[in-house]
Structure formats: structure tokens, C-alpha cells
Amino acid sequence: MKTNAWRVFAAGACAAVLALSGCGASDNNAATGSASGTTVKGGTLNVLLSSTEMDLDPAKSQGLPTTTNGNIFRRLTAWKITDKGETKVVPDLATDTGKSSDDGKTWTYTLKDGLKFSDGTPITSKDVKYGLERSFADSLTGGLSYHKTLLEGAQDYHGPFDGQELSSIETPNDETIIFHLNAPFGDWPWVASLAAFTPVPDGKGPASGYGKLPVASGPYKVESNEAGKQAVFVRNTYWDKKTDPVRTAGPDKIVFKMGQDTSVAAQSIMQGTGEGKNSFLSGFVPAAQLAQAQANPSYKKLLTTSGDGALEYLAINTQHVKNAKIRQALQYAVDKKAYQTASGGEIAGNFATTLITPGIEGREDYDLYKADPTGDVDKAKQLIKESGEQAPTLKLIATSAQAETASSIQTSLKRAGVKVDIQTLNDDVYSDTLTNDKGDYDLAISSWQPDFPSPYANISPLFDSSQIGNGNYNLARYANPKVDALIKKATETIDQTEAGKIWAEADKTIMADAPVVPLIYSKNTFIHGSNVTNFVIGNFPAYPDYTQVSLASAN
């Protein structure tokens, strides 16, 4: 699976993209943030971002259904945050989340009545099919690819621009769309919520340039999109709230202001100057402004911090560190408290023990290696002795942005007699080293947030043996036939309660082999203006839900 803007595999890479995105997740217990419970209609909401361009082509997007493009695009299904902060998959364009048949290999959807694009034309099943087929075009890369591995015949399909259709997507009439998969897949309703399932008027989405002013299906349409300046969303008069269970469409206009200095933007939001009170920063609060806001009660109330989310972990290359006792020793030798401190303190996240991240339905909380957060050096030394080997010398690769966290790992392992040599690489070399076929490292610090709230998106990309090398993210180079079988079984189990039990077994089976050391579940902190309300972060993902944000006053 490819990395994306909010599921970044390396902590160093995460640090590099904070202005645009995040690597954390959200509150374990309930939705957090400024929520009034009511939606005021009207006003102009500003979203401040550091990027200088917005390509809104859904075929190329890895965007969350709840962030930027969630207000202009609808899909077959959508995400809804409950009052308890839980993220559920719900019907969006479709009447339900999908009916499965053929033991989960076939999924059928029926569109709601009265759906229209922003140009007034009806949305049909053929538009959903065409939108999805566009994502296979060689000229439209970068989007999430789950459907490309699941649909029958997809490996030989290259999009609709040469007149070809994908026969595993059927549209027997304008209201019905049927997907034929190559294997049962219980999480298909979540996949159907991703950007590639956005309808595009049949035959009207060109192979290039569509992302500037795409045809909308949500409550807003794109009025203008000028690189380096701003993109303006205005109301789509053809959107019908009665068909949409998710989006509130509060502001009359949403303006995405590009090329912002995040420190200056955060300062204007805190002080409420100019348009600051009606704005929020799309990325994380810069360190200096975060410290300033935390020290000032008036500013602190403008902050919203997610709960425990993305897993930050130490990957152990199991093809190099083959002795399980040594890997288990590292579980006790690592000082998670020192790592947390190096990451920014308690606000960076709470200590991790499991592989499935908080906010994922069916997750079981457990700890196979119980110890104080500072570690258990004596236990680590005992396990090294039991291994029959000497304490090893290990190479930890890192980027310059990971200097402090890498140093914390080096220092803590030294206490158990394990020597760590840190090799600092530039970002491109670092990424290639982690994901290529060679695997020239022993240790690496990484971070992972799934693309949708399912254990599948947690476990399979990181621990399925098919995901080793070749650009994939099994960074521990971990291969266990039993785990592969559990992943397959859970993936093909349609009953999600039963699937959850299998995923929990897989989680514990993997941790018994100790291919990674869970470090923390990272948190993200955002800032919004004093007139911004319904700025809510649920259990998943680690971002405010843009489809809910409104203004307390339309003035």
C-alpha cells in the first residue's frame, strides 16, 4: 500500500508534512473539540494551508472522506462520527452500505432517488463506474489502490480513456451498481467510501486538468481554484440535504487560502485579527504557537487535541534479528518515556502496547510485555542471556528530523548492553531503504495510521508477508504463515464482529514474535478561530471533520 498524506509510515516523514497533514489519530472515548450541537447557516469559513496547489481530482486523491473533498464529493458510503466519538460507515449516495452475496465476493448498491451533480444533471450508477474506472488510468496516479487489487480483472485494466470498461463493475440500470471481487472482502463498505468512488459525469472527466474545477456532488461546488492563492467553495444548489445523512453545510462559502506561513496563520487565529476568528489551520499547530496557546487561557480554548491514534513503533528487521528472544528483550529495553519526551512530551501521545490502533472497532487492549514506561533493563538482560547470543550491535536508520527520537532509542538500548549505530539518511534514500527489496537496516522508527477504521488497514500492510519490499510497508520484514492465514481468514469474514476476534488473535500472535516495539499512539493538536464551532475530532481519524465545521455566528 502506498503512503498518503495522513498515513505516513515514518516519523521523520511525518514531521516534514505537518503543515499539510497528520500521522496521529483521535480520542478513545468521545468526540473532542468545539461543538455547539447546532449548525448556523451562513458566513465565510477560511481554511489556512501551507500548500500552494489544490488538485481536487478524486482519482488521484488519498484524502479522507471527512476532510477537504468531503464537502464537494459524495461516494457510495460515508463516515459518520457518533455522539460517542465512534466512526461508523453509513449510506451516502447509496441506500445502504452494500449487500453482499457469493460469500462476500459480490457487492450490490442501489442509488437514492433525486441525486444530482452541481450542473443539475442526474447522478447515475454509470457515473460512479466511470469515476472509479478513471482511477486506473496511467496518467492519474497517487490515489488509494484497495479496489485495484480486489476487483476481478483489475490488474490488466488501464482506465476508460481508450474506450475500455472494467467488466467486474456492472451497471444493469441507472440506479444499480454491482462489484465482483476476486475474493471475499468484509471491509468493502469502507472501501466504497474512499475518493475513487466519487461519481464523475460519464465521459466528462478528462485524463488531465479535471482536478482544477471538478463537477461536484456534495453540498459545495468549486467556484475558483487558483494555484498559490486560494480555492473557493460555494453552495451547490442541487444538493439535497434529505439524501445526505452526514454533511451539515453550515457556511455559505469555504475559502482555502494557500501558501500560508503556519506560524503567522496560527498567530492570527489566536489574536482573532482580520479573518482569524473565522479560520482554522489545516495542519498541526507549530511548536512555538502551541506553547504560547497552552500558556494563555484565552488561546488554549482554541486548541483541539486528538486522542490516542496512530501507532509509532520501532521496526525490527526480522531477517537480520532472527532470534525471537533478542527481539523480546528489546521490548523491555526500550525506554518509552524517553521516546515520548523526545517527541514533545505527554501531548505527543500515550504509551502503546498493541498493533491495532485506538478508535478501531473490535480492538482489544492488552500488554504482553508489562513493564514501567522507562523499561525493565533486568528483564531485557535476562532474555538476551536466554537467547544464547551476545548482546547485538544494531544499525538504526533515521532522517535528520528523527535525531532526538533515534537518540532516545540508542540510549535506552545501551542500558541492556545493546549497541546502536545511527545512520542518518536524506528523506528519499531513507524511504527507499525501508521499502526496497534489500532491507539494509536493523531498526527503524515508523508511524502508521490506517486509511479507514478497520484492523485490516492496520495489520495487513505492516505484517502480511506479501508486503515485504517492492515499495511496501512491512518494515519488520516479518513473515509468519500462521499470521498470513489469520489475515486471510479475517479479511474474508463478512461478519465484522467475528472478523474482529480474528484480528485480535492476529495482533497478539504478531506481538508474541516481537517484530516491532509499540512506542506511543500519537496525538495531533489543531487550532481554530473563536467564531468557529462544531470543530470535532472523533475516535478516528486524527483530524477535524470538515463536513461538520460551521461558524457560531454568520457575521
Side-chain angles (χ1 to χ4, degrees):
M1 303 299 174
K2 289 188 176 181
T3 185
N4 60 39
W6 32 268
R7 183 208 66 208
V8 181
F9 71 87
C14 179
V17 295
L18 295 187
L20 295 177
S21 58
C23 307
S26 321
D27 196 329
N28 290 339
N29 303 308
T32 63
S34 174
S36 66
T38 60
T39 299
V40 172
K41 298 291 184 177
T44 298
L45 173 68
N46 303 297
V47 184
L48 311 180
L49 58 158
S50 62
S51 61
T52 58
E53 187 174 359
M54 290 181 66
D55 186 342
L56 299 169
D57 193 322
K60 300 163 64 176
S61 174
Q62 296 184 0
L64 294 165
T66 52
T67 53
T68 301
N69 61 22
N71 271 318
I72 56 172
F73 297 139
R74 298 177 67 179
R75 292 84 179 234
L76 290 173
T77 61
W79 300 3
K80 187 175 180 64
I81 299 175
T82 70
D83 292 340
K84 294 181 179 181
E86 299 170 343
T87 301
K88 300 289 188 180
V89 62
V90 297
D92 191 2
L93 293 173
T95 56
D96 55 36
T97 59
K99 291 183 171 64
S100 66
S101 57
D102 192 20
D103 295 325
K105 291 178 65 177
T106 300
W107 289 84
T108 301
Y109 292 85
T110 302
L111 299 188
K112 297 171 182 174
D113 294 332
L115 301 171
K116 292 183 179 181
F117 285 111
S118 55
D119 63 3
T121 58
I123 297 173
T124 71
S125 59
K126 293 178 178 61
D127 301 316
V128 178
K129 173 181 169 71
Y130 179 69
L132 191 59
E133 287 176 337
R134 287 181 74 252
S135 70
F136 287 87
D138 296 335
S139 61
L140 298 174
T141 60
L144 297 176
S145 58
Y146 294 95
H147 59 286
K148 296 180 183 180
T149 62
L150 292 167
L151 286 165
E152 283 185 351
Q155 67 275 11
D156 299 319
Y157 183 65
H158 296 281
F161 300 117
D162 59 359
Q164 300 299 310
E165 294 187 15
L166 185 57
S167 60
S168 56
I169 307 174
E170 290 186 78
T171 53
N173 54 54
D174 285 348
E175 294 77 36
T176 306
I177 186 165
I178 305 169
F179 302 97
H180 297 280
L181 312 185
N182 51 36
F185 192 74
D187 279 332
W188 186 257
W190 287 111
V191 174
S193 73
L194 302 178
F197 287 76
T198 298
V200 175
D202 189 6
K204 293 185 179 180
S208 64
Y210 184 68
K212 185 173 178 63
L213 295 171
V215 180
S217 49
Y220 297 91
K221 63 182 180 180
V222 185
E223 180 181 69
S224 62
N225 183 1
E226 189 173 359
K229 293 186 177 181
Q230 64 182 29
V232 179
F233 293 2
V234 296
R235 291 195 184 279
N236 169 17
T237 57
Y238 291 101
W239 173 74
D240 185 353
K241 172 58 182 171
K242 295 193 295 291
T243 70
D244 193 331
V246 174
R247 301 162 185 84
T248 58
D252 286 334
K253 183 183 294 185
I254 304 175
V255 179
F256 293 83
K257 295 182 177 293
M258 306 179 208
Q260 300 289 305
D261 180 300
T262 55
S263 296
V264 173
Q267 198 70 42
S268 71
I269 290 172
M270 286 190 291
Q271 296 176 355
T273 56
E275 299 169 331
K277 68 178 183 179
N278 289 343
S279 305
F280 71 86
L281 189 63
S282 70
F284 304 163
V285 186
Q289 283 67 45
L290 179 58
Q292 182 183 0
Q294 287 179 309
N296 185 319
S298 297
Y299 298 162
K300 188 173 183 179
K301 64 184 180 181
L302 304 178
L303 299 176
T304 301
T305 299
S306 69
D308 293 344
L311 174 67
E312 295 186 27
Y313 64 96
L314 179 68
I316 306 168
N317 187 339
T318 56
Q319 294 179 357
H320 291 183
V321 187
K322 297 181 179 181
N323 192 315
K325 290 284 187 179
I326 297 291
R327 299 197 302 268
Q328 291 165 357
L330 299 184
Q331 303 286 334
Y332 292 102
V334 169
D335 185 339
K336 296 183 183 181
K337 180 67 174 177
Y339 178 88
Q340 181 194 59
T341 300
S343 300
E346 291 185 7
I347 198 170
N350 293 320
F351 303 118
T353 60
T354 70
L355 304 174
I356 298 173
T357 52
I360 304 296
E361 189 171 0
R363 171 182 179 267
E364 291 186 15
D365 194 11
Y366 69 93
D367 186 359
L368 290 187
Y369 305 96
K370 293 180 180 177
D372 185 85
T374 60
D376 186 337
V377 176
D378 289 339
K379 180 68 172 177
K381 289 180 176 178
Q382 175 190 335
L383 285 166
I384 292 173
K385 184 177 181 180
E386 292 176 6
S387 74
E389 299 181 6
Q390 297 294 315
T393 296
L394 303 174
K395 180 170 73 174
L396 189 159
I397 60 171
T399 65
S400 58
Q402 293 176 301
E404 291 189 29
T405 52
S407 179
S408 75
I409 298 295
Q410 180 186 53
T411 300
S412 60
L413 295 188
K414 184 178 179 180
R415 302 175 305 169
V418 177
K419 182 181 178 183
V420 173
D421 293 329
I422 299 174
Q423 181 181 8
T424 303
L425 306 172
N426 68 45
D427 289 350
D428 290 340
V429 174
Y430 173 79
S431 298
D432 178 68
T433 302
L434 283 176
T435 60
N436 65 25
D437 293 337
K438 185 177 180 182
D440 186 18
Y441 60 91
D442 300 317
L443 304 173
I445 300 168
S446 304
S447 178
W448 190 265
Q449 177 167 291
D451 293 312
F452 48 88
S454 161
Y456 169 85
N458 264 122
I459 298 294
S460 183
L462 300 186
F463 301 105
D464 191 315
S465 63
S466 68
Q467 300 299 304
I468 297 173
N470 195 33
N472 295 306
Y473 298 104
N474 183 339
L475 307 185
R477 313 265 161 171
Y478 176 71
N480 182 336
K482 180 180 179 181
V483 169
D484 286 347
L486 287 170
I487 290 173
K488 184 176 186 297
K489 182 179 179 181
T491 298
E492 296 181 355
T493 298
I494 306 304
D495 185 317
Q496 293 301 284
T497 299
E498 289 303 310
K501 296 175 183 177
I502 304 168
W503 286 120
E505 182 183 354
D507 192 327
K508 294 176 183 178
T509 302
I510 296 165
M511 277 307 301
D513 285 340
V516 303
V517 180
L519 297 168
I520 63 173
Y521 303 118
S522 61
K523 298 181 180 182
N524 301 330
T525 299
F526 302 88
I527 190 166
H528 61 83
S530 59
N531 195 38
V532 175
T533 191
N534 295 319
F535 192 86
V536 176
I537 303 176
N539 290 355
F540 183 97
Y543 277 87
D545 185 345
Y546 287 30
T547 67
Q548 308 302 307
V549 180
S550 60
L551 299 172
S553 168
N555 296 327

